[in-house]
Coordinates of all heavy atoms in Angstrom, one line a residue:
F30 N 123.6 48.1 156.5 CA 123.5 48.7 155.2 C 122.8 47.8 154.2 O 121.9 48.3 153.5 CB 124.9 49.0 154.7 CG 125.0 49.5 153.3 CD1 124.6 50.9 153.1 CD2 125.3 48.8 152.2 CE1 124.6 51.4 151.8 CE2 125.3 49.3 150.9 CZ 125.0 50.6 150.7
Y31 N 123.0 46.5 154.2 CA 122.3 45.7 153.3 C 120.9 45.5 153.7 O 120.0 45.3 152.8 CB 123.1 44.3 153.1 CG 124.3 44.5 152.3 CD1 125.6 44.3 152.8 CD2 124.2 44.8 151.0 CE1 126.7 44.5 152.1 CE2 125.3 45.0 150.2 CZ 126.6 44.8 150.7 OH 127.7 45.0 149.9
N32 N 120.6 45.5 155.0 CA 119.2 45.5 155.4 C 118.4 46.7 154.8 O 117.3 46.7 154.4 CB 119.1 45.5 156.9 CG 119.3 44.1 157.5 OD1 119.0 43.1 156.8 ND2 119.8 44.1 158.7
F33 N 119.1 47.9 154.9 CA 118.6 49.1 154.3 C 118.3 48.9 152.8 O 117.3 49.4 152.3 CB 119.5 50.3 154.6 CG 119.4 51.4 153.6 CD1 118.3 52.3 153.7 CD2 120.3 51.6 152.6 CE1 118.1 53.3 152.8 CE2 120.1 52.6 151.7 CZ 119.0 53.5 151.8
C34 N 119.3 48.3 152.1 CA 119.1 48.1 150.7 C 117.9 47.2 150.4 O 117.1 47.5 149.5 CB 120.3 47.5 150.1 SG 121.8 48.6 150.1
D35 N 117.7 46.1 151.2 CA 116.6 45.2 151.0 C 115.3 46.0 151.3 O 114.3 45.8 150.6 CB 116.7 44.1 152.0 CG 117.8 43.1 151.6 OD1 118.2 43.1 150.5 OD2 118.3 42.3 152.5
R36 N 115.3 46.8 152.3 CA 114.1 47.5 152.7 C 113.7 48.5 151.6 O 112.5 48.7 151.3 CB 114.4 48.3 154.0 CG 113.2 49.1 154.5 CD 112.0 48.3 154.8 NE 110.9 49.2 155.4 CZ 109.6 48.8 155.3 NH1 109.2 47.7 154.8 NH2 108.7 49.6 155.9
T37 N 114.7 49.2 151.0 CA 114.4 50.1 149.9 C 113.7 49.4 148.8 O 112.8 49.9 148.2 CB 115.7 50.8 149.4 OG1 116.3 51.4 150.6 CG2 115.4 51.8 148.3
L38 N 114.2 48.2 148.4 CA 113.6 47.4 147.3 C 112.2 47.0 147.6 O 111.3 47.0 146.8 CB 114.5 46.2 147.0 CG 115.9 46.5 146.4 CD1 116.7 45.3 146.3 CD2 115.8 47.3 145.1
E39 N 112.0 46.6 148.9 CA 110.7 46.1 149.3 C 109.7 47.2 149.3 O 108.5 47.0 148.9 CB 110.8 45.5 150.7 CG 111.5 44.2 150.8 CD 111.8 43.7 152.2 OE1 111.4 44.5 153.1 OE2 112.5 42.7 152.4
I40 N 110.1 48.4 149.7 CA 109.2 49.6 149.7 C 108.8 49.9 148.2 O 107.7 50.2 147.9 CB 109.9 50.8 150.3 CG1 109.9 50.6 151.9 CG2 109.1 52.1 150.0 CD1 110.7 51.6 152.6
G41 N 109.8 49.8 147.3 CA 109.5 50.0 145.9 C 108.5 49.0 145.4 O 107.6 49.4 144.6
K42 N 108.6 47.8 145.7 CA 107.6 46.8 145.3 C 106.2 47.0 145.8 O 105.2 46.8 145.1 CB 108.1 45.4 145.6 CG 109.4 44.9 144.9 CD 109.9 43.6 145.4 CE 111.2 43.2 144.7 NZ 111.7 41.9 145.2
V43 N 106.1 47.4 147.1 CA 104.9 47.5 147.7 C 104.2 48.8 147.5 O 103.0 48.9 147.2 CB 105.0 47.2 149.3 CG1 103.7 47.5 150.0 CG2 105.5 45.8 149.5
H44 N 105.0 49.9 147.6 CA 104.4 51.3 147.6 C 104.8 52.1 146.3 O 104.3 53.2 146.2 CB 104.9 52.0 148.8 CG 104.5 51.4 150.1 ND1 103.2 51.4 150.5 CD2 105.2 50.7 151.0 CE1 103.1 50.7 151.7 NE2 104.3 50.3 152.0
G45 N 105.6 51.5 145.5 CA 106.0 52.2 144.2 C 107.3 53.0 144.3 O 107.9 53.1 145.4
P46 N 107.8 53.4 143.1 CA 109.1 54.0 143.0 C 109.3 55.3 143.8 O 110.3 55.6 144.3 CB 109.3 54.2 141.5 CG 107.9 54.2 141.0 CD 107.1 53.3 141.8
D47 N 108.2 56.1 143.9 CA 108.3 57.4 144.6 C 108.6 57.2 146.1 O 109.4 57.9 146.7 CB 107.0 58.2 144.4 CG 106.9 58.8 143.0 OD1 107.9 58.8 142.3 OD2 105.7 59.2 142.6
A48 N 107.9 56.2 146.7 CA 108.1 55.9 148.1 C 109.5 55.4 148.3 O 110.1 55.7 149.3 CB 107.0 54.9 148.6
S49 N 109.9 54.5 147.4 CA 111.3 54.0 147.5 C 112.4 55.0 147.4 O 113.3 55.1 148.1 CB 111.5 52.9 146.3 OG 112.8 52.4 146.4
K50 N 112.2 56.0 146.5 CA 113.1 57.1 146.3 C 113.2 58.0 147.6 O 114.2 58.4 148.0 CB 112.8 57.9 145.1 CG 113.0 57.3 143.8 CD 112.6 58.1 142.6 CE 112.8 57.4 141.3 NZ 112.4 58.2 140.1
K51 N 112.0 58.2 148.1 CA 111.9 59.0 149.4 C 112.7 58.3 150.5 O 113.4 59.0 151.3 CB 110.5 59.3 149.8 CG 110.4 60.2 151.0 CD 109.0 60.5 151.4 CE 108.9 61.6 152.5 NZ 109.8 61.2 153.7
Y52 N 112.4 57.0 150.7 CA 113.1 56.3 151.7 C 114.6 56.3 151.5 O 115.4 56.5 152.4 CB 112.6 54.8 151.8 CG 113.2 54.0 152.9 CD1 112.7 54.2 154.2 CD2 114.2 53.1 152.6 CE1 113.3 53.4 155.2 CE2 114.7 52.3 153.6 CZ 114.3 52.5 154.9 OH 114.8 51.7 155.9
L53 N 115.0 56.2 150.2 CA 116.5 56.2 149.9 C 117.1 57.5 150.3 O 118.1 57.6 150.9 CB 116.6 55.9 148.4 CG 118.1 55.8 147.9 CD1 118.7 54.5 148.3 CD2 118.1 55.9 146.3
K54 N 116.4 58.6 149.9 CA 116.9 60.0 150.2 C 117.0 60.2 151.7 O 118.0 60.8 152.1 CB 116.0 61.0 149.5 CG 116.4 62.4 149.7 CD 115.5 63.4 149.1 CE 115.9 64.8 149.3 NZ 115.0 65.8 148.7
D55 N 116.0 59.7 152.4 CA 116.0 60.0 153.9 C 117.0 59.2 154.7 O 117.4 59.6 155.8 CB 114.6 59.7 154.4 CG 113.5 60.7 153.9 OD1 113.9 61.7 153.4 OD2 112.3 60.4 154.0
H56 N 117.5 58.0 154.1 CA 118.3 57.1 154.9 C 119.6 56.7 154.3 O 120.5 56.2 155.1 CB 117.5 55.9 155.3 CG 116.2 56.1 156.0 ND1 116.2 56.5 157.3 CD2 114.9 56.2 155.6 CE1 114.9 56.7 157.7 NE2 114.1 56.5 156.7
F57 N 119.8 56.8 153.0 CA 121.0 56.3 152.4 C 122.3 56.8 153.0 O 123.2 56.1 153.3 CB 120.9 56.6 150.9 CG 122.3 56.3 150.2 CD1 122.6 55.0 149.9 CD2 123.1 57.4 149.8 CE1 123.9 54.8 149.3 CE2 124.3 57.1 149.2 CZ 124.7 55.8 148.9
L58 N 122.4 58.2 153.1 CA 123.6 58.8 153.6 C 124.0 58.2 154.9 O 125.2 57.9 155.1 CB 123.5 60.3 153.6 CG 124.7 61.1 153.4 CD1 125.3 60.9 152.1 CD2 124.4 62.6 153.6
F59 N 123.1 58.1 155.8 CA 123.4 57.6 157.2 C 124.0 56.2 157.1 O 125.1 55.9 157.7 CB 122.2 57.6 158.0 CG 122.4 57.1 159.4 CD1 123.0 57.9 160.4 CD2 122.0 55.8 159.7 CE1 123.2 57.4 161.7 CE2 122.3 55.3 161.0 CZ 122.8 56.0 162.0
Y60 N 123.3 55.3 156.5 CA 123.7 53.9 156.4 C 125.0 53.7 155.6 O 125.9 52.9 156.0 CB 122.6 53.0 155.9 CG 121.5 52.7 156.8 CD1 120.3 53.3 156.7 CD2 121.7 51.9 158.0 CE1 119.2 53.1 157.6 CE2 120.7 51.7 158.9 CZ 119.5 52.3 158.7 OH 118.4 52.0 159.6
A61 N 125.2 54.4 154.5 CA 126.3 54.3 153.7 C 127.6 54.8 154.4 O 128.7 54.1 154.3 CB 126.1 55.0 152.3
I62 N 127.5 55.9 155.0 CA 128.7 56.5 155.7 C 129.1 55.6 156.9 O 130.3 55.4 157.1 CB 128.5 58.0 156.1 CG1 128.5 58.8 154.8 CG2 129.5 58.4 157.1 CD1 128.3 60.3 155.1
K63 N 128.1 55.2 157.6 CA 128.4 54.3 158.8 C 129.1 53.0 158.3 O 130.1 52.5 158.9 CB 127.1 53.9 159.5 CG 126.5 55.0 160.4 CD 127.2 55.0 161.7 CE 126.5 55.9 162.7 NZ 127.1 55.9 164.1
Y64 N 128.5 52.4 157.2 CA 129.1 51.2 156.7 C 130.5 51.3 156.1 O 131.4 50.6 156.5 CB 128.2 50.7 155.6 CG 128.7 49.7 154.6 CD1 129.3 48.5 155.1 CD2 128.7 49.9 153.2 CE1 129.9 47.6 154.2 CE2 129.2 49.0 152.3 CZ 129.8 47.8 152.8 OH 130.3 46.9 151.9
L65 N 130.7 52.3 155.3 CA 132.0 52.5 154.7 C 133.1 53.0 155.7 O 134.2 52.6 155.6 CB 131.9 53.5 153.6 CG 131.2 53.1 152.3 CD1 130.8 54.2 151.4 CD2 132.0 52.0 151.6
G66 N 132.6 53.7 156.7 CA 133.6 54.2 157.7 C 134.2 53.1 158.6 O 135.3 53.2 159.1
K67 N 133.4 52.0 158.7 CA 133.9 50.9 159.6 C 134.4 49.7 158.8 O 134.7 48.7 159.3 CB 132.7 50.4 160.4 CG 132.1 51.5 161.4 CD 133.1 51.9 162.4 CE 132.5 52.9 163.3 NZ 133.4 53.4 164.4
L68 N 134.5 49.9 157.5 CA 134.9 48.8 156.6 C 136.3 48.5 156.6 O 137.2 49.3 156.6 CB 134.5 49.2 155.1 CG 134.5 48.1 154.1 CD1 133.4 47.1 154.3 CD2 134.3 48.8 152.7
S69 N 136.6 47.2 156.6 CA 138.0 46.7 156.5 C 138.3 46.5 155.0 O 137.5 45.9 154.3 CB 138.2 45.4 157.3 OG 139.5 44.9 157.0
L70 N 139.5 46.9 154.5 CA 139.9 46.7 153.2 C 140.8 45.6 153.0 O 141.3 45.3 151.9 CB 140.5 48.0 152.6 CG 139.7 49.3 152.6 CD1 140.4 50.4 152.0 CD2 138.4 49.0 151.9
K71 N 141.1 44.8 154.1 CA 142.0 43.7 154.0 C 141.5 42.6 153.0 O 140.3 42.2 153.1 CB 142.2 43.1 155.4 CG 143.0 43.9 156.3 CD 143.3 43.2 157.6 CE 144.1 44.0 158.6 NZ 144.3 43.3 159.8
N72 N 142.4 42.1 152.2 CA 142.1 41.0 151.3 C 140.9 41.3 150.3 O 140.3 40.4 149.8 CB 141.7 39.7 152.0 CG 142.8 39.3 153.0 OD1 144.0 39.4 152.6 ND2 142.5 38.9 154.2
R73 N 140.7 42.6 150.0 CA 139.7 43.0 149.0 C 140.3 42.8 147.6 O 141.4 43.2 147.3 CB 139.2 44.4 149.2 CG 138.6 44.7 150.5 CD 137.1 44.2 150.5 NE 136.5 44.5 151.8 CZ 135.2 44.2 152.1 NH1 134.4 43.7 151.1 NH2 134.7 44.5 153.3
T74 N 139.5 42.3 146.7 CA 139.9 42.1 145.3 C 139.8 43.5 144.6 O 139.1 44.4 145.1 CB 139.0 41.1 144.6 OG1 137.7 41.6 144.5 CG2 139.0 39.8 145.3
E75 N 140.4 43.6 143.5 CA 140.3 44.9 142.7 C 138.8 45.1 142.3 O 138.4 46.3 142.4 CB 141.2 44.8 141.4 CG 141.2 46.1 140.6 CD 142.1 46.0 139.4 OE1 142.8 45.0 139.3 OE2 142.1 47.0 138.7
S76 N 138.1 44.1 142.0 CA 136.7 44.3 141.6 C 135.9 44.8 142.8 O 135.1 45.7 142.7 CB 136.1 42.9 141.2 OG 134.7 43.1 140.9
E77 N 136.2 44.3 144.0 CA 135.5 44.7 145.2 C 135.8 46.2 145.5 O 134.9 47.0 145.9 CB 135.8 43.9 146.4 CG 135.2 42.5 146.4 CD 135.7 41.6 147.5 OE1 136.9 41.7 147.8 OE2 134.9 40.8 148.0
L78 N 137.1 46.5 145.4 CA 137.5 47.9 145.6 C 136.9 48.9 144.7 O 136.5 50.0 145.0 CB 139.1 48.0 145.5 CG 139.8 47.3 146.6 CD1 141.3 47.3 146.3 CD2 139.6 48.0 148.0
K79 N 136.8 48.5 143.4 CA 136.1 49.3 142.4 C 134.6 49.5 142.8 O 134.1 50.7 142.6 CB 136.3 48.7 141.0 CG 137.7 48.9 140.4 CD 137.8 48.3 139.0 CE 139.2 48.5 138.5 NZ 139.3 47.8 137.1
S80 N 134.0 48.5 143.2 CA 132.6 48.6 143.6 C 132.4 49.6 144.8 O 131.5 50.4 144.9 CB 132.0 47.2 144.0 OG 131.9 46.4 142.8
L81 N 133.3 49.4 145.8 CA 133.3 50.3 146.9 C 133.6 51.8 146.5 O 133.0 52.7 147.1 CB 134.3 49.8 148.0 CG 134.0 48.5 148.7 CD1 135.2 48.0 149.5 CD2 132.8 48.6 149.6
F82 N 134.5 51.9 145.6 CA 134.8 53.3 145.1 C 133.6 53.9 144.5 O 133.3 55.1 144.7 CB 136.0 53.2 144.1 CG 136.3 54.5 143.4 CD1 136.8 55.6 144.2 CD2 136.1 54.7 142.1 CE1 137.1 56.8 143.6 CE2 136.3 55.9 141.5 CZ 136.9 57.0 142.2
E83 N 132.9 53.1 143.7 CA 131.6 53.6 143.1 C 130.6 54.0 144.1 O 129.9 55.0 144.0 CB 131.1 52.6 142.1 CG 131.9 52.3 140.9 CD 131.4 51.1 140.1 OE1 130.4 50.5 140.5 OE2 132.0 50.9 139.0

Side-chain angles (χ1 to χ4, degrees):
F30 177 74
Y31 285 114
N32 281 333
F33 157 74
C34 293
D35 289 340
R36 178 64 176 156
T37 302
L38 295 175
E39 289 170 3
I40 289 173
K42 291 176 182 178
V43 176
H44 301 288
D47 288 343
S49 179
K50 288 177 182 178
K51 184 180 186 307
Y52 184 76
L53 183 72
K54 180 180 179 180
D55 290 345
H56 301 284
F57 169 75
L58 206 63
F59 177 81
Y60 283 108
I62 286 179
K63 284 277 191 179
Y64 162 53
L65 290 165
K67 301 296 183 180
L68 192 67
S69 171
L70 300 182
K71 287 184 179 179
N72 302 318
R73 297 281 179 176
T74 65
E75 183 176 352
S76 177
E77 288 175 321
L78 290 170
K79 287 181 178 178
S80 294
L81 292 170
F82 174 67
E83 290 172 0

